[in-house]
Amino acid sequence: MTKRFAAILGAVLALGTGQAVADPVTLKLSFFASDTEVNYAKVIKPWVDAVNADPSGAVKIDAYPNGALGKSLPAQPQLVLDGVADIAFINPSLVPGRFPDDQVFELPGLLKDLAEGTKLYAGLVTSNSLRGYGDYHVIGSFMNANYNIFARRTIRSNADLKGMKVRIVGPIVGQTVKELGMVPILMPPNEIVEAIGRGTVDAATLVPAAVIDFGVDRVTSHSYLLDLGCGPLAMVMNRAKYDALPAEAKAALDKYSGAWINDLYVKALLAHNAGIIAGFKADPKRTVVSPSAADLAAVKAPYEKVTAAWSDKDPNNAKVLAKSRELLMQIRAK
């Protein structure tokens, strides 16, 4: 038997017995916070498990939660570009210079809930309407629930907000709370507990899930459910890394990206946030206040002022806002 014939025979036997002809592509995923944080536990971990269990065996995701590759949430997009991680969970609001158009999601009164926001975000990404994503392949595009106010002192109405120092997550939310008489202070969520403990801030704009995940419930006991705009979250991959993947690996990732992971997020986070607010209402040591009809009417003018100022600031802002409203009309029509 010639060497050439033996090589051909070996290849044929390998294929016939189902022997793998290539090792899976291994990708590193960075998550800045604990593996018990809701986005990781209910969305990212199930996604990792699904990709790793795919029958193709083309991709293996090695997840690094608990900040193992980097604890700074604002730094996560750069970790992907630097090759420290291949995939990362990011908060674009914390890096507005990199993702300037994502400020549209923070506009107060634009979005009803996270389900609607997630659909809008996906629509804007797929239509290439948002700057800053050229170096990234977007695996999942999620929307936080509307930000509310969680404080260490009682808030019964909009009047109690005056002069309050409040942590904010993005510049437009900051402008919104400023119009309502508050003092905005930008900081990532994992610094809130210490800041409230020191008196640096009196309250924080957060979604219910984050109140629990980052321990803010330990230093606050009053919730004011005034919607202050939303914030995007995403799972992104280095685009060059994605483009260089074998076709089988791309297909495996694509199978669980987009609608698959976005739908998982919406289902899990809608229920989770609602459950937290229900628990707060049932706790006799806490107060949960929804704004009165008069207070909701009173914020309409400042909300419109913030929106108009952002739209007028840059022609591209107006373009993104118009596209967002167009997509929202389509989403609501369905």
Side-chain angles (χ1 to χ4, degrees):
M1 182 184 295
T2 67
K3 291 183 178 180
R4 180 180 180 187
F5 178 77
I8 295 173
L9 179 61
V12 170
L13 290 174
L15 291 172
T17 58
Q19 179 178 324
V21 296
D23 292 331
V25 174
T26 300
L27 300 173
K28 296 179 294 183
L29 183 150
S30 173
F31 188 75
F32 75 107
S34 164
D35 56 4
T36 62
E37 197 269 351
V38 63
N39 291 295
Y40 186 86
K42 293 184 178 292
V43 182
I44 297 175
K45 182 59 164 59
W47 178 83
V48 169
D49 292 343
V51 173
N52 287 347
D54 187 76
S56 70
V59 177
K60 180 178 182 293
I61 307 291
D62 284 341
Y64 294 86
N66 304 302
L69 298 180
K71 294 182 180 294
S72 169
L73 181 51
Q76 297 301 305
Q78 191 61 42
L79 293 183
V80 171
L81 298 185
D82 291 343
V84 176
D86 301 305
I87 301 169
F89 179 84
I90 68 170
N91 185 329
S93 294
L94 293 175
V95 277
R98 189 184 295 273
F99 304 102
D101 300 330
D102 287 47
Q103 292 178 4
V104 70
F105 304 121
E106 297 179 41
L107 294 176
L110 182 68
L111 296 172
K112 295 178 181 177
D113 56 27
L114 66 84
E116 182 176 87
T118 296
K119 291 178 181 178
L120 174 61
Y121 192 7
L124 290 172
V125 168
T126 56
S127 63
N128 295 316
S129 299
L130 300 174
R131 290 173 293 172
Y133 289 87
D135 294 327
Y136 302 96
H137 170 73
V138 179
I139 291 171
S141 47
F142 325 123
M143 192 62 56
N144 256 320
N146 268 284
Y147 297 120
N148 300 141
I149 301 172
F150 299 89
R152 61 178 180 176
R153 69 187 196 207
T154 304
I155 304 174
R156 299 181 181 85
S157 69
N158 291 355
D160 294 322
L161 302 175
K162 307 296 183 183
M164 183 177 285
K165 294 177 294 182
V166 59
R167 171 268 181 182
I168 52 97
V169 70
I172 307 305
V173 175
Q175 187 60 38
T176 300
V177 301
K178 188 175 181 180
E179 290 294 332
L180 298 177
M182 292 176 272
V183 179
I185 299 175
L186 180 69
M187 69 176 64
N190 49 355
E191 296 179 10
I192 295 173
V193 170
E194 182 177 358
I196 290 179
R198 290 182 173 181
T200 305
V201 297
D202 305 304
T205 57
L206 283 168
V207 301
V211 176
I212 300 297
D213 287 333
F214 295 97
V216 181
D217 58 315
R218 302 196 304 267
V219 292
T220 61
S221 54
H222 306 285
S223 308
Y224 191 55
L225 306 184
L226 177 66
D227 290 344
L228 295 167
C230 297
L233 302 168
M235 193 147 73
V236 299
M237 182 175 178
N238 184 303
R239 183 176 292 278
K241 181 81 173 185
Y242 173 82
D243 289 343
L245 291 176
E248 296 83 358
K250 284 184 181 178
L253 284 176
D254 293 347
K255 183 177 178 181
Y256 303 100
S257 300
W260 192 96
I261 192 171
N262 287 0
D263 290 347
L264 175 64
Y265 173 87
V266 168
K267 182 178 180 180
L269 270 294
L270 276 176
H272 186 73
N273 282 302
I276 290 171
I277 293 298
F280 285 173
K281 289 179 177 179
D283 187 343
K285 296 181 180 180
R286 307 188 70 92
T287 65
V288 178
V289 176
S290 295
S292 66
D295 279 329
L296 289 176
V299 300
K300 186 176 180 180
Y303 282 11
E304 290 176 349
K305 179 180 178 181
V306 170
T307 299
W310 185 80
S311 180
D312 294 343
K313 185 177 181 180
D314 186 299
N316 196 74
N317 290 358
K319 181 180 177 181
V320 173
L321 179 57
K323 181 65 174 179
S324 298
R325 287 171 168 164
E326 173 192 333
L327 291 174
L328 282 172
M329 287 181 64
Q330 297 172 12
I331 291 167
R332 290 166 184 172
K334 295 179 181 179

